[in-house]
Amino acid sequence: REFKHRSCGPQDSVQCKNHILNMKHINLYKIFLLAAIAPITAACNGDLDIMQDNKLSASNMWKSSTDVIQSTYGIYERMRSNFVQNDINIFYWGEARVGDYMWGPSLESRVQDNNMISVRTSTMSSSTSSAGWSRLYTTIDQANAVLKYAPTVNMTDAERSFATGQAAFARAYCYFWAARLWGDVPLNLVPIESTTQPETYPVRAPKSDVYTQIGKDIATALENIKALGTDKYFATADAVNMLKAEYSLWMYSTQNGGESYLTLASEALEAIGISSDKLMYKYSDIFSRTDKCNKEVIFALLNDQKEGLTGGYYNYFYHPNNLIASKYQNDPVPISSTQWWSYSQNFVDILEKSKTENHDSRVDCNLGKGEYGASGQTITWPNKFIGDMSKKPVVLDCDLLYYRYALAVMMDAELKYYKKDYSGALASLNIIAKRAYGVDNFYKEANRDAVLSALVNEYFLEFPAEGVIWWALIRLDKIWDYNPALKSMQATNKNILLWPITASARNKNHKLTQTEGWD
């Protein structure tokens, strides 16, 4: 299959040529594979065990622009390998912790393993597999290498700017996850190329330092924004501004960052542009397995089954064939190995109420339900990211979406809520509501409580199973209302919203201390 730099139009032809380095007959898988096996970054054998063989040195690598560009592509290969692990993904690292309000074990088999139970109930420990950060730091190390060597290698200005901007975005994106999940985390800014480096055994840096560095990396990505291109599997101008907006709202609402962060968020969202024209007309089309980089997608991680990827966390929402009546298997019930997660009955009721009372067009995509069990039991599953149903088990070949324009619209409404511009917040909320309910001005009450209620409602109804809702509830200081068990646990663990560090990571690095409040 001929490789083409995705999403490049005629106006990008020169830049596209530079980016792919004349590799016209190499497909995307091969580019990622080359980047992954190139001897320019560390092998990962465990949590923060990212040191490379110190027989390798800068003397036998980083000689050409090819080294830098392939290594830049490799950053995103490593990022994908982090987020498609069985227990490490944006769902486990966020939304699953909303808890019983949204989630529970399978309605058919009542199955859920100990890792899943601990995440859903926020009772994780140092042995919880979802708490691993190893591959996140491997991605950071790859970005560090590109940022170190891109300034010195002989290459065009466009290539250098592309590599620098992509690496800065990826490092900021990964550290943003790390700081929100663990608070104080190791802050490595140079590649680990020798076992004698102090970065090999880092301490946890104050989260304030990490957040400051994230801001600097976003600024670096913005400085190079014209060279980033339009490929949605990598950073684009809109992806950088989405990260800037989300980071700025987080800093304002959870880190006492002050009004200046609202200004930064406003700059980012204005650069993106808030308009219904950027949304897909039909909600379910956003998650298409055939129109992957559609107009609503801003940033996605490629999920190509030719690479043998697991397809991500959606595998856990689907049912085993022995529990589904044969005539309903993959029609309409997606068949996999074991269903571990299901919506709670409470959340099923919320979705159905929205469809019945408000004709919410999203519900059929967000909720599959029926008496399809082998013994006539009622079962549920999400219908988004459904994959290839022509095969059993269903082939999970949809891309996983990390930013889409509907989130930009919601963040714009959230920004205006913080600024007490309640009419402006309603205007943005009603962009989301118009697609969902088919009516203009669905939300009308322009006051603080009504806008806050509408924000929370639309986050729940627009983004279930996308890993977004947990973070929105924390920003809006509403997580305690929807998972009250967290409030009671906070009395003995002030860091209940954070995660523990694994025993594996601390065994490898004696300088790491456990997150206070966790074992």
Side-chain angles (χ1 to χ4, degrees), residues 12-134:
D12 298 308
S13 59
V14 174
Q15 183 177 337
C16 183
K17 181 178 179 181
N18 286 335
H19 288 184
I20 66 173
L21 300 170
N22 298 316
M23 302 168 86
K24 293 182 179 180
H25 300 287
I26 302 178
N27 63 28
L28 189 57
Y29 168 56
K30 290 179 181 178
I31 283 184
F32 281 136
L33 181 61
L34 285 170
I37 64 176
I40 46 74
T41 193
C44 177
N45 298 310
D47 292 279
L48 214 60
D49 182 15
I50 54 177
M51 67 193 74
Q52 70 180 47
D53 183 344
N54 61 0
K55 293 180 181 178
L56 298 174
S57 71
S59 64
N60 57 12
M61 62 187 80
W62 303 107
K63 293 297 187 182
S64 70
S65 61
T66 302
D67 296 333
V68 176
I69 299 301
Q70 286 184 355
S71 299
T72 302
Y73 284 125
I75 295 169
Y76 291 87
E77 185 274 334
R78 294 177 186 278
M79 186 185 294
R80 291 184 310 149
S81 72
N82 179 75
F83 287 111
V84 297
Q85 296 181 76
N86 289 341
D87 297 330
I88 296 176
N89 49 67
I90 62 171
F91 175 71
Y92 278 72
W93 276 3
E95 191 172 334
R97 293 192 64 194
V98 176
D100 294 343
Y101 183 87
M102 285 191 76
W103 300 106
S106 166
L107 294 181
E108 166 69 74
S109 58
R110 310 305 299 175
V111 172
Q112 202 167 49
D113 72 4
N114 289 334
N115 182 76
M116 296 175 181
I117 293 171
S118 69
V119 174
R120 178 169 58 88
T121 58
S122 291
T123 55
M124 300 88 75
S125 71
S126 59
S127 62
T128 300
S129 56
S130 293
W133 64 19
S134 175

Side-chain angles (χ1 to χ4, degrees), residues 276-313:
S276 60
D277 292 341
K278 293 179 182 266
L279 305 185
M280 295 292 284
Y281 175 77
K282 186 177 180 182
Y283 179 82
S284 60
D285 287 347
I286 302 166
F287 313 101
S288 170
R289 55 178 294 270
T290 56
D291 185 18
K292 291 187 171 187
C293 285
N294 58 68
K295 71 175 184 177
E296 186 157 334
V297 175
I298 295 176
F299 178 49
L301 294 186
L302 174 68
N303 182 21
D304 187 342
Q305 286 302 304
K306 293 178 181 178
E307 301 173 52
L309 300 178
T310 64
Y313 59 94

